[in-house]
Amino acid sequence: MIAGILKEKIGENRVILLPETVVELIKKKVEVWVESGAGARAYSSDEMYVNAGALITTAEKILDGADLLLRISPPETGWMKQIRGDQVWIGVLNPLSDKEMVQQLITHKLTTFSLDIIPRTSRAQAMDILSSQATAAGYRAVLDAAMHLPTFFPMFMTAAGTITPAKVMIIGAGVAGLQAIATSRKLGARVEAFDVRTAVKEEVESLGAKFIEVEGALDDKSAGGYAVEQTEEYKARQRQAVHDHAIKSDVIITTAQIPGKMAPKLLMKETVEGMKAGSVIVDLAASTGGNCELTVNGETFEHNRVRIIGQSYYPSTLPKDASKMFGKNALNFMSLLISKDGSLNLDFEDDLVAGTCVTRDGEIVNPRVKSLYS
Ligand code: NAD
């Protein structure tokens, strides 16, 4: 079998597999072709891929001859007609939100796997790109906030006086939020965090942060580790709690998301207007509408002297390690599709294979995606 690594879309600095991961794939008896320049923005040259055992070629040749088509970004529209149903696309297709893309995949009868919908089971942990990339996002968000903040993060007691530590509030203590807590703590800030899933209270506290409690959250165990929509009454109480803590914070990092839905609005305009001048908000949910009412996706601006950064693409700003982690996840997933002799083996009896498959033979396979389109 041949796996082909395609160059990412403009603005995406990561690459799906670094040369070091290509070595692992070749050990599984898979031939690897790489589009020239595919790893350049992740500091991996064509020469490094050749040394890893890959062949450097063009996108045309890969689209025509590879069995596995590998790219983080979705396929270009122009490629849809060219890709055949017997080839397998592996990447991130955002099928829970990108309806147009899913329609195209159905129309062209493509066989596609989207790593962002892999079931959240313990066996899938090593394949979970949302987790690994959220780690990069949470870390980078804190560094970005620190760079924009007009004050220090840590406390200093110096001959020039005492500097009080920054107060950081994290909204959403999932993977990105927990990493943001850990990074803020390492930089010496005082941290508090809030999440609808009260199960994370212990994790928050073990990282040295305070958990903000709001009673009455719906916690659906069947949602597989994800948050669920909350009642209007709870949302009002939550907004008040967020407001009370926000006006005392220097930095707020929001990460709250509900898969397949717009991000919940947790930080309202009046709250932002009550915050201290110079405070910074980093909204990691920007691409799904943002947790802050004022967020503009991909933009940084000031409102009432509070800086609002709407950024969902931090992993791309850490391309080497984000690609390293992404590639390891992708390799672990691909291992499910490769038989001992290196040939393709699509076993739809395997819950992870079936659960990650978006489309096949003109049909939607993943039940979560299917329910959105029926
Ligand atoms: P996510 O990106 O979907 O959401 C981020 C956080 O925002 C979550 O903690 C969520 O509870 C929170 N949130 C959602 N709505 C909110 C609201 N209205 N107010 C406050 N917070 C809100 O989630 P995630 O970070 O990808 O993962 C969540 C959890 O899933 C993880 O902590 C982990 O325990 C679990 N997980 C399991 C696996 C696995 O077993 N394979 C993989 C990844 C994650």
Side-chain angles (χ1 to χ4, degrees):
M1 175 165 64
I2 300 166
I5 299 174
L6 291 153
K7 212 191 262 184
E8 296 296 326
K9 66 174 185 194
I10 293 166
E12 174 57 78
N13 298 326
R14 292 170 298 171
V15 59
I16 191 158
L17 301 182
L18 289 177
E20 64 192 62
T21 321
V22 163
V23 171
E24 299 304 315
L25 191 54
I26 291 171
K27 279 189 198 154
K28 293 184 185 293
K29 303 198 175 98
V30 176
E31 191 177 329
V32 180
W33 294 356
V34 178
E35 181 181 352
S36 179
R41 291 193 296 265
Y43 301 90
S44 297
S45 63
D46 287 355
E47 195 190 348
M48 288 159 78
Y49 280 105
V50 169
N51 291 340
L55 179 94
I56 301 298
T57 182
T58 61
E60 275 304 301
K61 291 224 169 86
I62 290 174
L63 291 171
D64 194 42
D67 305 288
L68 292 182
L69 301 172
L70 310 176
R71 192 191 198 221
I72 300 173
S73 327
E76 301 293 324
T77 320
W79 296 352
M80 292 285 183
K81 279 191 192 148
Q82 199 175 340
I83 302 172
R84 303 178 310 270
D86 64 335
Q87 293 173 300
V88 173
W89 182 278
I90 300 175
V92 178
L93 298 160
N94 302 307
L96 296 173
S97 54
D98 194 347
K99 294 199 170 185
E100 217 172 292
M101 169 64 59
V102 174
Q103 195 48 57
Q104 290 266 356
L105 304 175
I106 294 170
T107 307
H108 295 282
K109 298 198 161 94
L110 302 192
T111 308
T112 56
F113 290 88
S114 191
L115 296 170
D116 55 332
I117 55 166
I118 197 159
R120 296 201 138 174
T121 60
S122 28
R123 193 163 70 98
Q125 263 173 8
M127 308 169 197
D128 194 288
I129 59 115
L130 289 184
S131 292
S132 69
Q133 303 308 293
T135 300
Y139 164 80
R140 208 56 161 181
V142 173
L143 299 190
D144 207 5
M147 289 303 288
H148 281 99
L149 197 68
T151 60
F152 286 110
F153 256 48
M155 184 178 92
F156 286 127
M157 289 165 89
T158 76
T162 300
I163 299 288
T164 50
K167 282 199 186 123
V168 176
M169 173 158 74
I170 312 287
I171 303 179
V175 183
L178 291 172
Q179 184 53 241
I181 295 173
T183 308
S184 303
R185 290 287 300 142
K186 280 180 211 156
L187 285 177
R190 269 195 213 139
V191 187
E192 34 185 30
F194 167 70
D195 198 297
V196 275
R197 293 181 306 117
T198 43
V200 294
K201 180 175 188 271
E202 256 176 51
E203 282 175 272
V204 166
E205 289 173 349
S206 72
L207 290 169
K210 191 178 150 221
F211 188 73
I212 304 169
E213 309 235 18
V214 179
E215 281 179 12
L218 296 177
D219 210 351
D220 187 350
K221 298 277 177 292
S222 65
Y226 288 114
V228 291
E229 280 270 19
Q230 299 294 321
T231 61
E232 286 309 317
E233 191 202 347
Y234 176 85
K235 284 185 198 167
R237 244 183 295 144
Q238 175 183 353
R239 275 199 280 270
Q240 187 59 48
V242 167
H243 176 89
D244 296 344
H245 289 264
I247 55 174
K248 295 180 207 144
S249 303
D250 301 292
V251 169
I252 301 181
I253 294 175
T254 72
T255 76
Q257 310 220 47
I258 302 170
K261 299 217 161 70
M262 292 304 277
K265 291 275 178 269
L266 304 170
L267 209 50
M268 311 317 274
K269 184 166 173 266
E270 308 83 74
T271 302
V272 176
E273 289 172 354
M275 289 173 70
K276 288 180 269 185
S279 303
V280 179
I281 297 168
V282 181
D283 194 337
L284 287 176
S287 67
T288 51
N291 293 139
C292 174
E293 210 177 20
L294 300 168
T295 295
V296 180
N297 188 24
E299 289 191 20
T300 297
F301 63 94
E302 276 197 5
H303 179 86
N304 218 29
R305 309 229 58 202
V306 172
R307 188 165 288 255
I308 303 173
I309 304 172
Q311 241 291 26
S312 294
Y313 303 106
Y314 281 116
S316 176
T317 69
L318 206 73
K320 251 182 113 170
D321 272 348
S323 302
K324 184 182 173 128
M325 295 165 95
F326 195 111
K328 189 73 186 159
N329 294 147
L331 177 75
N332 288 335
F333 175 72
M334 278 190 276
S335 303
L336 304 176
L337 314 182
I338 303 169
S339 45
K340 279 203 176 102
D341 63 357
S343 60
L344 181 66
N345 169 35
L346 294 182
D347 174 11
F348 283 92
E349 296 294 308
D350 185 319
D351 62 322
L352 299 186
V353 175
T356 311
C357 185
V358 185
T359 54
R360 190 182 181 223
D361 294 333
E363 304 275 345
I364 298 176
V365 179
N366 175 288
R368 254 160 79 217
V369 180
K370 208 179 220 171
S371 69
L372 292 177
Y373 295 79
S374 54

